[in-house]
Amino acid sequence: MPSQGKSSKMLHNINYRIRVTLQDSRQFVGTFKAFDKHMNIILGDCEEFRKIRPKGGKEEKEEKRTLGLVLLRGEHLVTITVEGPPPKEDVTMARIPGLPGAAGLPGMGRAMQAGRGVVPPAGMPPMPPGGLPPRGPPVPGLMGPGRGVGLPAPGQMAPQIPIRPGMIPPPLLPPGVPPRMPPPPPQ
C-alpha cells in the first residue's frame, strides 16, 4: 500500500478540532482551517491555554484565553493532536447568522447568480421588463457631492474683463456670438 504524503494527511484533518503545542509550552485548541508548505496553521474559534507558575506558590495554574481566528507559525510548532471530529452541519439552518429561515433567500453574505436567463429563487419578485429594478428616491449620502462641492461657483466661470476708468463696459452678448472688432480709427 503506498504511503500518504504529509499534506494529504493534514488535508484529512481540515475542520477537525485540534490541539497544537508550541515551543514555549503554550497550547492552542481550535478548528483546523488551513496550512501551507511551511506548516503555518490557521485555527478558527481558537483558545489559548498556558501554565502560570506563581512566584510564591508551588502549584501551576492554567490560564485560558479566547482568541478567535489565529495564525500559528510552523517554525514554533512542536505537536499537533486531533481533539475531535468536525461538527455536523444542519442543512436546514439559516446560513446568515441572526436571520432564522433565511437560508433560501438572498442577503448579506450570500452570493447569487445574476444575468440573462437566470431564474430568481422562490420568494424574490421577478425583474420588470426593462431589466432594472424599480428605483425609489435617492439614498442620502449616495446622491453625489452637494451643490458647490468640487466645482467652481458659477460667477467664477464667467470671463473676467477688467474695466479701466473712462472705458465703456462692453455690451453683453448672447452665448455663442463672437465679439466684433471695433472699426479702425479715422485717418
Side-chain angles (χ1 to χ4, degrees), residues 27-105:
Q27 293 187 344
F28 293 85
V29 178
T31 306
F32 183 37
K33 294 293 184 185
F35 68 100
D36 64 5
K37 64 181 180 181
H38 306 289
M39 207 49 77
N40 297 324
I41 289 180
I42 303 283
L43 294 179
D45 299 326
C46 185
E47 296 173 329
E48 174 193 26
F49 297 92
R50 61 185 183 149
K51 295 191 173 28
I52 297 178
R53 208 173 293 131
K55 293 183 180 175
K58 304 268 190 288
E59 59 185 68
E60 290 183 340
K61 187 174 108 178
E62 189 172 69
E63 185 178 281
K64 174 184 164 186
R65 180 165 77 147
T66 303
L67 300 176
L69 190 65
V70 173
L71 166 66
L72 299 174
R73 189 170 166 87
E75 188 177 2
H76 302 291
L77 303 183
V78 176
T79 62
I80 300 172
T81 310
V82 175
E83 291 278 306
K88 301 281 184 210
E89 282 193 22
D90 186 6
V91 291
T92 60
M93 258 180 27
R95 302 294 287 168
I96 305 168
L99 294 177
L105 298 176

Side-chain angles (χ1 to χ4, degrees), residues 169-186:
L172 295 176
L173 299 173
V177 176
R180 286 183 270 158
M181 294 285 294

